[in-house]
Amino acid sequence: MEIVFIGLIFLLLALFGTPLFVIIGAIALLSFHSVGIDTSAVIVEMYRISNTPALLAIPLFSFTGYILAESKTPQRLVDLSQALFGWIPGGLAVVALVSCAIFTAFTGASGITIIALGGLLFPAMLQNAYSEKFSLGLLTSCGNLGLLFPPSLPIILYALVAKININTLFVAGFVPGVLLLILVSFYCFYKGVTLSVPRTRVTFRNLYKAIKAAIWEIPLPIIVIGGIYGGLFTVTEAAAVSAFYVLIVEVFIYRDIKLSSDVPRIMKESMLLVGGILVILGTALGLTNYLIDAEIPMKILQFLRSFVQTKLVFLIMLNLFLLVVGCMLDIFSAIIVVVPLITPIALDFGVNPIHLGVIFLVNLGIGYTTPPVGMNLFIASFRFRKSILSLYAASLPFLAILLVALIIITYIPEISLWLVNVVGIK
Amino acid sequence: MKILRQIDSFLARIEQTFLIVLLSVMILLAFLQVVLRNLFSTSILWGDTFLRQLVLWVGFTGATLATRQKRHINIDVFSRLLSDRGQTIVGIVTNLFSAIVCIFLTKAAIVFICDEKSSQSILFANIPTWIFILIIAIGFGLITFRFLTIALENFFHLVKKES
Amino acid sequence: KIKFATLAPEGSTWMKVMKEFDRAVRKQSNGRLGFKIYAGGILGDEKDVLRKIRLGQLHAAGFTGVGMGEILPEVRILDCPFLFRSYDEIDYINTKFYQRFARGFEKKGYVLLSWAEVGFVYVFSKSPIRSIEDMRKIKMWIWEGDPVAEATFKAFDLHPFPLSVIDVMPALQANMIDGVYTSPLAAIALQWFTKVKYMMELPLANSAGAVLISKRKYDQLSPDLQKILSENARHYMAKLITLSRKDNAKAIETLKKSGINIVPISNKETMLQYEEIGKKARRLLAGKLFSQQLLTEVETALAEYRAKHSNKTTN
Ligand code: NA
Ligand code: NA
């Protein structure tokens, strides 16, 4: 009774605009207090953030993204992508989609993608006559597709925890990943046509002009993506190089940004974003700590196990369960906590462990953008300065597409296993 | 109220300067590490550990400034439906609630810091870990102050309207 | 109920033995005592676990040297490079110094329930290490903030790259590092072996371990429960050490089969050089982590043991 009452008050406070980190923090504090554990447990968990491997990439990419967004880079890049892909309906949207996916494959965290690329691609898409709603939805939901492509860290971690071969899982994720990309691309084509985004013919002169204008920005994706794929840089190193490179290029070469007046302002703006995310992430980790301590995920699973009889029902329940988990826990905790628990149950029901891995990753990715509490919605709300409700609305069509894809991937295991069998690795 | 506002903007100026210095150090040190590693096959041993601590410092400083600018992420559905007076009252309630929660977070942080201090844990180069955790207590402390200021602002706004 | 944390994942030998341990304790105490086990490092690394033990969220945990050293730095002497040559030597020193370390832990508020063990740690690399010079050319990983490893590589005069455990795999892939050190079992579990070609036959060090419980929790237990807990801890951890030694031996065979070349020490002279480096590293740490006196005691005890057993073959 008491719990319901407190829950309702918190819900009301949240809906009247209390910052989310306050609500999550309050729940975490009360939970620990109620079981007689000192509330400093919340802060212990918050401090664990400083041990996160790719942590440094967050502020560095935020800064890079803000600098690029405030300079004339979006215009130059739109011109370039127009010159290259302007003849395709929805060309820029597909470019945005693919860049977000590739970027997430490296960072392993689609939130960082929104921070790093969102600020650049959002104004570019608006300038290109895409609607605000479509652009927001695309940039918020589609980084997740990259989780399925190598060298995504969640795949590696999943393989380690589930004791399956990393390369097998990389291969298995490829076809489902491409399927997701194709489905969303069709939506982009469709939107490109219905929004009557202007199309242009490819001419050598335009292309030359666009390349010449963006000549200092073209190396950036090559440094970041080529550097990581080529084995030159880790993600954090790529972030450090881009931050430094962009600062030099925009301030001293293009002179779009003034060192004395613009840079401090942009620094501050970008770190407001980092701060806003850090406190939510921190309190959410505090709450996660309680959930694990109280073995809540384990209890939900036991409950599931008690009334699920067939493979089909199991898969449906698994999808629902993982969507909720994807909303609540960060992807790394989710893998460490949930994978050892569901793997034996899934094997009982005859689910292939490789297939299970793919289902798991797709689910968690979608969970990130599922209202009401998907983390990426908050990050995007902060980055684009839009209300969380407008993000719920914007992400819905994409969520629908991704859920359809999820259903296909879940119920047709061959999509995940076909390439594995062709390549012949186990 | 005027004094409070002066303190607030004075603090904000310090925080901004602090933020810019920290971020500049972060960008330069991170880049230096890459150069050292890839061109000179060496690196500063404590560099990455220190950089990750800097992220916390930059983040919490950014979070207090975000509180000041009312930029924290929220789900505001109802308050836009209210009258100006209603919004002001809701502002007092939500900001007071936030301040109370942040007081408890500050307190929890202080307990953790004291415990870490007594454990004599060292992060690197003989610098004790608790020094780095200080920012969590300072950060939540300043955030509490900011929420209180906003709540008071709303309160005075309400009083002025009524009279 | 005792809330227990370990870095060992669900399904590992560690967890299997831990569960047997739990069952035995429950049975003998008629359900009055048991464990709630958090596996796979889900509650954090060893420093996080210690914090949670101090604030009472957790009560006990399996630690490696890194965590033990946070409580009682002098115990890190057991992790020193090129100190032990065989399991017999490790067992001898662990038994001989058990009471001393147990008293040390007790002063800091922990009860040493039993030693555990990660086992011998080897250097794995992309190019063969046949001499000290080869070693110096390696871009060696170092576990962030481990003073013993720092002293070891300082004694080698090589400049290591600090990374967290999760970052090692991508760094190996990116050739940011080309050498790592770990136990054979962990090299397989973490899949690091897929990125290296060679393993040094000479172990770098033995990685110690222990099961500790907070004194606060231990003192709450009635004497008969304390007895059940301590006796079973000793029994099952002894079993665990035996099993993990077997596991590691099996792991080396698996590594060989998957194409890892074992690089032996070519001559007596090189062996002596390594031993010199071990001594140098220990001198660097004496006065910091442990006293010179303790170091002398351990080295003397080992020398006596070796003199007594010199005619016996070591494994
Ligand atoms: Na590199
Ligand atoms: Na670490």
Side-chain angles (χ1 to χ4, degrees), chain A residues 11 54 61 87 114 170 196 204 244 255 278 320 324 345 366:
Chain A
L11 184 66
F61 275 135
W87 55 279
I114 297 173
F170 275 148
S196 50
F204 184 75
F244 192 77
R255 300 189 189 185
L278 202 73
L320 292 175
V324 175
I345 308 178
I366 297 176

Side-chain angles (χ1 to χ4, degrees), chain B residues 37 41-43 45 48-49 52 112 115-116 119 121-122 129, chain C residues 47 51 54 70 108 139 142 144-145 150 159-162 176:
Chain B
R37 265 203 288 262
S41 271
T42 178
S43 70
L45 256 188
D48 286 17
T49 313
R52 286 204 305 270
F112 176 34
D115 171 73
E116 192 68 21
S119 85
S121 173
I122 301 289
T129 314
Chain C
K47 280 190 186 184
R51 289 182 180 125
R54 288 201 302 266
E70 278 285 306
K108 303 279 183 171
K139 287 189 275 181
I142 182 170
E144 268 176 342
E150 268 173 39
H159 194 98
F161 292 82
M176 194 167 126

Side-chain angles (χ1 to χ4, degrees), chain C residues 30-246:
Chain C
N30 294 320
R32 284 184 299 146
L33 191 65
F35 288 101
K36 194 166 166 184
I37 307 169
Y38 299 89
I42 185 57
L43 288 179
D45 65 19
E46 298 191 25
K47 280 190 186 184
D48 300 322
V49 165
L50 275 173
R51 289 182 180 125
K52 287 172 187 180
I53 289 181
R54 288 201 302 266
L55 70 85
Q57 188 188 344
L58 284 169
H59 308 124
F63 289 105
T64 67
V66 176
M68 286 193 283
E70 278 285 306
I71 304 167
L72 187 67
E74 67 175 20
V75 78
R76 296 305 306 271
I77 197 166
L78 301 173
D79 290 330
C80 278
F82 309 116
L83 183 65
F84 298 112
R85 290 176 197 163
S86 68
Y87 289 136
D88 294 336
E89 291 183 6
I90 296 169
D91 293 340
Y92 174 71
I93 294 293
N94 278 353
T95 314
K96 190 171 164 76
F97 287 85
Y98 185 89
Q99 284 306 330
R100 179 202 166 100
F101 287 127
R103 274 195 306 272
F105 278 120
E106 184 141 8
K107 269 191 207 132
K108 303 279 183 171
Y110 294 85
V111 176
L112 174 61
L113 284 179
S114 167
W115 293 120
E117 184 176 277
V118 178
F120 278 123
V121 163
Y122 298 83
V123 173
F124 295 83
S125 56
K126 296 192 180 194
S127 54
I129 300 172
R130 298 206 166 83
S131 63
I132 310 282
E133 284 69 44
D134 287 343
M135 179 73 111
R136 287 201 187 111
K137 280 184 223 139
I138 296 287
K139 287 189 275 181
M140 179 63 79
W141 165 64
I142 182 170
W143 197 349
E144 268 176 342
D146 180 359
V148 176
E150 268 173 39
T152 306
F153 294 128
K154 201 168 177 185
F156 267 114
D157 199 19
L158 75 75
H159 194 98
F161 292 82
L163 292 169
S164 65
V165 174
I166 301 183
D167 275 340
V168 168
M169 189 69 181
L172 274 173
Q173 181 116 29
N175 284 321
M176 194 167 126
I177 49 173
D178 47 28
V180 294
Y181 56 94
T182 187
S183 73
L185 207 54
I188 292 174
L190 296 167
Q191 306 237 355
W192 292 356
F193 77 103
T194 57
K195 299 282 174 261
V196 294
K197 289 203 181 75
Y198 301 92
M199 174 183 133
M200 269 177 70
E201 190 177 33
L202 179 71
L204 184 66
N206 179 56
S207 175
V211 173
L212 298 173
I213 182 170
S214 75
K215 196 163 160 15
R216 198 169 11 151
K217 182 75 184 176
Y218 189 78
D219 288 345
Q220 281 169 12
L221 303 174
S222 62
D224 66 316
L225 290 183
Q226 287 180 353
K227 191 163 167 259
I228 291 174
L229 182 64
S230 304
E231 279 175 358
N232 280 296
R234 268 195 294 281
H235 174 76
Y236 283 99
M237 288 304 122
K239 181 173 175 185
L240 177 65
I241 289 174
T242 314
L243 284 176
S244 93
R245 285 172 184 178
K246 270 186 201 151

Side-chain angles (χ1 to χ4, degrees), chain A residues 31 49 51 54 60 107 148 174 210 215 227 233 236 246 270 323 352 356 389 416 422 425:
Chain A
S31 308
I49 292 181
N51 253 333
L60 291 176
T107 56
L148 289 171
F174 191 77
I215 192 71
F233 300 136
T236 316
V246 162
S270 60
L323 280 176
N352 180 300
L356 182 68
L389 289 179
S416 312
V422 170
I425 52 167

Side-chain angles (χ1 to χ4, degrees), chain A residues 69 73-75 77-79 81-82 90-94 96 117-140 191 195-198 380 383-386 390-391 394:
Chain A
T73 310
Q75 186 58 55
L77 289 191
V78 172
D79 290 347
S81 83
Q82 278 304 95
L92 177 64
V94 176
L117 295 184
L120 179 66
L121 291 169
F122 186 56
M125 288 183 70
L126 292 187
Q127 270 179 34
N128 211 226
Y130 289 95
S131 69
E132 183 180 297
K133 190 181 162 206
F134 173 74
S135 313
L136 276 180
L138 181 79
L139 295 173
T140 308
K191 275 289 174 186
L195 291 170
S196 50
V197 175
R383 181 62 186 92
F384 303 122
R385 300 187 77 164
K386 300 288 172 218
S390 65
L391 279 159

